[in-house]
Structures are given as structure tokens and as C-alpha cells.
Amino acid sequence: MIEWQWLEFESIPRSDLYEVLRQRQEVFVLEQTCLYPDLDGHDEAAHHLMAWQTIDGTRRLVAYLRCLAPGAKYTEMSLGRILTPAIARGTGIGRQLVAEGIRRAEQQHPGHRIRIGAQQRLEQFYQGFGFTTISAPYDEDGIPHIDMLR
């Protein structure tokens, strides 16, 4: 069973925030070998969607994303820092995460479009959620990315 949390930054319990930041570092900095400032100044104004699951008796973060309001980074609202830790990959939780993130974001900011900066290899994945590619591929920290809009 998945426990979903949709929280503003200041409402995230410290131990949960630590786990989110630890997983972001694990996935985006260590696994993808990208030296970049993950703590970019946007977290405090964002809503954070976390998926928790008890695995072998321990509550584990199995998926995460953040939602920025329209105007915070782009004209549109945006979803970013989308991740699934290694322990949960291949379970379908990534699809659940994006669907739940879109649902919650549209409730939070009705009538606004959603922009993402996606890794190019995930273009078809995001197209399955109604996103269309709006940019040519570009390099971000050594990984080909594209901008997409829904």
C-alpha cells in the first residue's frame, strides 16, 4: 500500500525531508554523476509529493516530485525532481507518481498548463500523460533534455 503525502515545504517532517534530499542526491548527483546544485532555491515555495511504502518493516520513500506554482520558474506551473529510488524501480510507481502529481497539481493550480524539463530518453513516457515536446534537445549537466508541455 502506498501512502501519498502532498505537502508544502514547511509542513514536511524533518526526517521525511532528510530522506527526500538524500534520495535526490542519490539519484540525481551520484547515480547520474551530475555535479549540480540540487538545492536551487525553489523547494521552499513548492508543494512536494511523496510516496511512502513499508518494505521489510521499514517505511521507505518510493517516489517523489515537486510542483512549482505558475510564475515560480516558468510561466506555467511545473513538475520537477521526479524520481523513483532504485528499490522501487520496475514496480509501476513512476507512472503512479506522474499521474498523481498531475492530478494534485491541477487541483492546486486549476486552469494552468504544466511544463517539465525531461530527460530525452523519457520523452515517450511523458507523452503517455499528454505532454508534447516544445524544444529541441539540449544538454543539462551532461544529459540530453527536452522541454515538454501539457
Side-chain angles (χ1 to χ4, degrees):
M1 186 172 119
I2 303 296
E3 171 199 348
W4 293 100
Q5 287 181 306
W6 174 255
L7 297 173
E8 294 178 334
F9 182 81
E10 63 272 1
S11 298
I12 303 172
R14 281 188 300 194
S15 60
D16 291 355
L17 178 60
Y18 180 86
E19 182 61 13
V20 163
L21 296 176
R22 189 180 77 75
Q23 289 296 340
R24 283 176 29 180
Q25 176 180 283
E26 180 69 29
V27 171
F28 300 127
V29 178
L30 299 175
E31 283 182 19
Q32 296 179 3
T33 319
C34 293
L35 296 177
Y36 80 104
D38 178 54
L39 301 178
D40 59 1
H42 291 295
D43 288 310
E44 292 177 312
H47 274 80
H48 303 263
L49 179 62
M50 296 155 280
W52 301 92
Q53 186 174 25
T54 300
I55 300 171
D56 297 327
T58 302
R59 182 174 177 261
R60 304 287 296 264
L61 181 71
V62 294
Y64 167 84
L65 64 73
R66 73 176 181 189
C67 175
L68 299 176
K73 187 172 180 178
Y74 304 109
T75 303
E76 309 83 5
M77 69 175 140
S78 65
L79 299 180
R81 300 298 197 265
I82 299 170
L83 71 82
T84 303
I87 193 170
R89 292 185 193 141
T91 66
I93 190 65
R95 288 188 187 284
Q96 292 176 53
L97 173 69
V98 173
E100 186 71 11
I102 290 168
R103 186 182 75 77
R104 302 251 187 162
E106 289 177 342
Q107 284 179 343
Q108 190 75 35
H109 306 288
H112 290 274
R113 299 175 82 183
I114 303 172
R115 178 184 289 253
I116 59 172
Q119 291 183 16
Q120 187 178 16
R121 69 180 182 83
L122 296 171
E123 184 174 18
Q124 288 185 333
F125 173 79
Y126 290 113
Q127 285 173 341
F129 293 96
F131 286 94
T132 57
T133 304
I134 59 166
S135 76
Y138 59 90
D139 181 274
E140 185 172 305
D141 303 310
I143 299 172
H145 278 70
I146 51 173
D147 288 335
M148 301 184 82
L149 197 58
R150 181 180 193 277

CSV table of all heavy atoms in Angstrom, one decimal, residues 94-95 98 102 116-134 144-150:
chain,number,residue,atom,x,y,z
A,94,GLY,N,6.5,4.8,-10.8
A,94,GLY,CA,6.8,6.0,-11.5
A,94,GLY,C,5.6,6.5,-12.3
A,94,GLY,O,5.3,7.7,-12.3
A,95,ARG,N,4.8,5.6,-12.9
A,95,ARG,CA,3.6,6.0,-13.6
A,95,ARG,C,2.6,6.6,-12.6
A,95,ARG,O,1.9,7.6,-12.9
A,95,ARG,CB,3.0,4.9,-14.4
A,95,ARG,CG,3.8,4.5,-15.6
A,95,ARG,CD,3.1,3.5,-16.5
A,95,ARG,NE,4.0,3.0,-17.5
A,95,ARG,CZ,4.3,3.7,-18.6
A,95,ARG,NH1,3.8,4.9,-18.8
A,95,ARG,NH2,5.1,3.3,-19.5
A,98,VAL,N,3.6,10.2,-11.5
A,98,VAL,CA,3.3,11.2,-12.5
A,98,VAL,C,1.8,11.5,-12.6
A,98,VAL,O,1.4,12.7,-12.6
A,98,VAL,CB,3.9,10.9,-13.9
A,98,VAL,CG1,3.5,12.0,-14.9
A,98,VAL,CG2,5.5,10.9,-13.8
A,102,ILE,N,0.2,15.1,-11.5
A,102,ILE,CA,-0.6,15.9,-12.4
A,102,ILE,C,-2.0,16.2,-11.8
A,102,ILE,O,-2.4,17.3,-11.8
A,102,ILE,CB,-0.8,15.1,-13.8
A,102,ILE,CG1,0.5,15.1,-14.6
A,102,ILE,CG2,-2.0,15.8,-14.6
A,102,ILE,CD1,0.5,14.2,-15.8
A,116,ILE,N,7.5,20.6,-18.0
A,116,ILE,CA,8.6,19.8,-17.4
A,116,ILE,C,9.8,19.9,-18.3
A,116,ILE,O,9.7,20.1,-19.5
A,116,ILE,CB,8.2,18.3,-17.3
A,116,ILE,CG1,7.8,17.7,-18.6
A,116,ILE,CG2,7.1,18.1,-16.3
A,116,ILE,CD1,7.6,16.2,-18.6
A,117,GLY,N,11.0,19.8,-17.7
A,117,GLY,CA,12.2,19.6,-18.4
A,117,GLY,C,12.6,18.1,-18.2
A,117,GLY,O,13.0,17.7,-17.2
A,118,ALA,N,12.4,17.4,-19.3
A,118,ALA,CA,12.5,15.9,-19.2
A,118,ALA,C,13.8,15.4,-19.8
A,118,ALA,O,14.3,16.0,-20.8
A,118,ALA,CB,11.3,15.2,-19.9
A,119,GLN,N,14.3,14.3,-19.2
A,119,GLN,CA,15.4,13.6,-19.9
A,119,GLN,C,14.8,13.1,-21.3
A,119,GLN,O,13.8,12.5,-21.3
A,119,GLN,CB,15.9,12.5,-19.1
A,119,GLN,CG,16.7,13.0,-17.9
A,119,GLN,CD,17.3,11.8,-17.1
A,119,GLN,OE1,17.4,10.7,-17.6
A,119,GLN,NE2,17.7,12.1,-15.8
A,120,GLN,N,15.6,13.3,-22.3
A,120,GLN,CA,15.1,13.0,-23.7
A,120,GLN,C,14.7,11.5,-23.8
A,120,GLN,O,13.8,11.2,-24.4
A,120,GLN,CB,16.1,13.4,-24.7
A,120,GLN,CG,15.6,13.2,-26.1
A,120,GLN,CD,16.6,13.6,-27.2
A,120,GLN,OE1,17.8,13.8,-26.9
A,120,GLN,NE2,16.2,13.8,-28.4
A,121,ARG,N,15.4,10.6,-23.1
A,121,ARG,CA,15.1,9.2,-23.1
A,121,ARG,C,13.7,8.9,-22.6
A,121,ARG,O,13.2,7.8,-22.8
A,121,ARG,CB,16.2,8.4,-22.4
A,121,ARG,CG,16.2,8.6,-20.9
A,121,ARG,CD,17.3,7.7,-20.3
A,121,ARG,NE,17.3,7.9,-18.8
A,121,ARG,CZ,16.5,7.2,-18.0
A,121,ARG,NH1,15.7,6.3,-18.5
A,121,ARG,NH2,16.5,7.4,-16.7
A,122,LEU,N,13.1,9.8,-21.8
A,122,LEU,CA,11.8,9.6,-21.2
A,122,LEU,C,10.7,10.3,-22.0
A,122,LEU,O,9.6,10.4,-21.5
A,122,LEU,CB,11.8,10.0,-19.8
A,122,LEU,CG,12.8,9.2,-18.8
A,122,LEU,CD1,12.9,9.9,-17.5
A,122,LEU,CD2,12.3,7.8,-18.7
A,123,GLU,N,11.0,10.8,-23.2
A,123,GLU,CA,10.0,11.5,-24.0
A,123,GLU,C,8.7,10.7,-24.2
A,123,GLU,O,7.6,11.3,-23.9
A,123,GLU,CB,10.6,11.9,-25.3
A,123,GLU,CG,9.7,12.8,-26.2
A,123,GLU,CD,10.4,13.2,-27.4
A,123,GLU,OE1,11.5,12.7,-27.8
A,123,GLU,OE2,10.0,14.2,-28.0
A,124,GLN,N,8.8,9.5,-24.6
A,124,GLN,CA,7.6,8.7,-24.8
A,124,GLN,C,6.8,8.4,-23.6
A,124,GLN,O,5.6,8.4,-23.5
A,124,GLN,CB,7.9,7.4,-25.5
A,124,GLN,CG,8.3,7.6,-27.0
A,124,GLN,CD,8.6,6.2,-27.7
A,124,GLN,OE1,8.9,5.2,-27.1
A,124,GLN,NE2,8.4,6.3,-29.0
A,125,PHE,N,7.5,8.2,-22.5
A,125,PHE,CA,6.9,8.0,-21.2
A,125,PHE,C,6.0,9.2,-20.8
A,125,PHE,O,4.8,9.1,-20.5
A,125,PHE,CB,8.0,7.8,-20.1
A,125,PHE,CG,7.4,7.8,-18.7
A,125,PHE,CD1,6.8,6.6,-18.2
A,125,PHE,CD2,7.5,8.9,-17.8
A,125,PHE,CE1,6.4,6.6,-16.9
A,125,PHE,CE2,7.1,8.8,-16.5
A,125,PHE,CZ,6.5,7.7,-16.1
A,126,TYR,N,6.5,10.4,-21.0
A,126,TYR,CA,5.7,11.6,-20.6
A,126,TYR,C,4.7,11.9,-21.7
A,126,TYR,O,3.6,12.5,-21.4
A,126,TYR,CB,6.7,12.8,-20.4
A,126,TYR,CG,7.5,12.7,-19.1
A,126,TYR,CD1,8.8,12.6,-19.2
A,126,TYR,CD2,6.8,12.7,-17.9
A,126,TYR,CE1,9.6,12.4,-18.0
A,126,TYR,CE2,7.5,12.6,-16.7
A,126,TYR,CZ,8.9,12.5,-16.8
A,126,TYR,OH,9.6,12.3,-15.6
A,127,GLN,N,4.9,11.6,-22.9
A,127,GLN,CA,3.9,11.7,-24.0
A,127,GLN,C,2.6,10.9,-23.6
A,127,GLN,O,1.5,11.3,-23.9
A,127,GLN,CB,4.4,11.3,-25.3
A,127,GLN,CG,5.3,12.3,-25.9
A,127,GLN,CD,6.0,11.8,-27.2
A,127,GLN,OE1,6.0,10.5,-27.5
A,127,GLN,NE2,6.5,12.7,-28.0
A,128,GLY,N,2.8,9.8,-22.9
A,128,GLY,CA,1.7,9.0,-22.4
A,128,GLY,C,0.8,9.7,-21.4
A,128,GLY,O,-0.3,9.2,-21.2
A,129,PHE,N,1.3,10.8,-20.9
A,129,PHE,CA,0.5,11.6,-19.9
A,129,PHE,C,0.0,12.9,-20.6
A,129,PHE,O,-0.5,13.8,-19.9
A,129,PHE,CB,1.3,11.9,-18.7
A,129,PHE,CG,1.7,10.7,-17.9
A,129,PHE,CD1,2.9,10.1,-18.0
A,129,PHE,CD2,0.7,10.2,-16.9
A,129,PHE,CE1,3.2,9.0,-17.3
A,129,PHE,CE2,1.0,9.1,-16.2
A,129,PHE,CZ,2.3,8.5,-16.3
A,130,GLY,N,0.1,13.0,-21.9
A,130,GLY,CA,-0.4,14.1,-22.6
A,130,GLY,C,0.6,15.3,-22.8
A,130,GLY,O,0.3,16.4,-23.2
A,131,PHE,N,1.9,15.1,-22.5
A,131,PHE,CA,2.9,16.1,-22.7
A,131,PHE,C,3.4,16.1,-24.1
A,131,PHE,O,3.5,15.0,-24.7
A,131,PHE,CB,4.1,15.9,-21.8
A,131,PHE,CG,3.9,16.2,-20.3
A,131,PHE,CD1,3.5,15.2,-19.4
A,131,PHE,CD2,4.0,17.5,-19.9
A,131,PHE,CE1,3.2,15.5,-18.1
A,131,PHE,CE2,3.8,17.8,-18.5
A,131,PHE,CZ,3.4,16.8,-17.6
A,132,THR,N,3.6,17.2,-24.7
A,132,THR,CA,4.2,17.4,-26.0
A,132,THR,C,5.5,18.1,-26.0
A,132,THR,O,5.7,19.0,-25.1
A,132,THR,CB,3.2,18.1,-27.0
A,132,THR,OG1,3.0,19.4,-26.4
A,132,THR,CG2,1.9,17.4,-27.2
A,133,THR,N,6.4,17.7,-26.8
A,133,THR,CA,7.7,18.3,-26.9
A,133,THR,C,7.7,19.7,-27.5
A,133,THR,O,7.1,19.9,-28.5
A,133,THR,CB,8.7,17.4,-27.7
A,133,THR,OG1,8.6,16.1,-27.1
A,133,THR,CG2,10.1,17.9,-27.7
A,134,ILE,N,8.3,20.7,-26.8
A,134,ILE,CA,8.2,22.0,-27.3
A,134,ILE,C,9.6,22.6,-27.5
A,134,ILE,O,9.8,23.8,-27.7
A,134,ILE,CB,7.4,22.9,-26.3
A,134,ILE,CG1,8.0,22.9,-24.9
A,134,ILE,CG2,6.0,22.5,-26.3
A,134,ILE,CD1,7.5,24.0,-24.0
A,144,PRO,N,21.0,14.7,-22.2
A,144,PRO,CA,20.1,15.3,-23.1
A,144,PRO,C,18.7,15.5,-22.5
A,144,PRO,O,18.2,14.5,-22.0
A,144,PRO,CB,20.1,14.3,-24.3
A,144,PRO,CG,21.3,13.5,-24.2
A,144,PRO,CD,21.6,13.4,-22.7
A,145,HIS,N,18.2,16.7,-22.6
A,145,HIS,CA,16.9,17.0,-22.1
A,145,HIS,C,16.0,17.7,-23.2
A,145,HIS,O,16.6,18.2,-24.2
A,145,HIS,CB,17.0,18.0,-20.9
A,145,HIS,CG,17.3,17.4,-19.6
A,145,HIS,ND1,18.5,16.8,-19.3
A,145,HIS,CD2,16.5,17.2,-18.5
A,145,HIS,CE1,18.5,16.3,-18.1
A,145,HIS,NE2,17.3,16.6,-17.6
A,146,ILE,N,14.7,17.7,-22.9
A,146,ILE,CA,13.8,18.4,-23.8
A,146,ILE,C,12.8,19.1,-22.9
A,146,ILE,O,12.5,18.6,-21.8
A,146,ILE,CB,13.0,17.5,-24.8
A,146,ILE,CG1,12.5,16.3,-24.0
A,146,ILE,CG2,13.9,17.1,-25.9
A,146,ILE,CD1,11.6,15.4,-24.9
A,147,ASP,N,12.2,20.2,-23.3
A,147,ASP,CA,11.1,20.8,-22.6
A,147,ASP,C,9.8,20.2,-23.2
A,147,ASP,O,9.6,20.0,-24.4
A,147,ASP,CB,11.1,22.3,-22.8
A,147,ASP,CG,12.2,23.0,-22.0
A,147,ASP,OD1,12.7,22.4,-21.0
A,147,ASP,OD2,12.7,24.1,-22.3
A,148,MET,N,8.8,20.0,-22.3
A,148,MET,CA,7.5,19.4,-22.7
A,148,MET,C,6.4,20.2,-21.9
A,148,MET,O,6.6,20.7,-20.9
A,148,MET,CB,7.5,17.9,-22.3
A,148,MET,CG,8.6,17.1,-23.0
A,148,MET,SD,8.4,15.3,-22.6
A,148,MET,CE,7.2,14.9,-23.9
A,149,LEU,N,5.3,20.2,-22.6
A,149,LEU,CA,4.1,21.0,-22.1
A,149,LEU,C,2.9,20.1,-22.1
A,149,LEU,O,2.7,19.4,-23.1
A,149,LEU,CB,4.0,22.3,-22.9
A,149,LEU,CG,3.1,23.4,-22.3
A,149,LEU,CD1,3.7,23.9,-21.0
A,149,LEU,CD2,3.1,24.5,-23.4
A,150,ARG,N,2.1,20.3,-21.1
A,150,ARG,CA,0.8,19.6,-21.1
A,150,ARG,C,-0.3,20.6,-20.8
A,150,ARG,O,-0.2,21.4,-20.0
A,150,ARG,CB,0.7,18.5,-19.9
A,150,ARG,CG,-0.5,17.7,-19.8
A,150,ARG,CD,-0.4,16.8,-18.6
A,150,ARG,NE,-1.5,15.8,-18.7
A,150,ARG,CZ,-2.7,16.0,-18.2
A,150,ARG,NH1,-3.0,17.1,-17.6
A,150,ARG,NH2,-3.6,15.0,-18.2
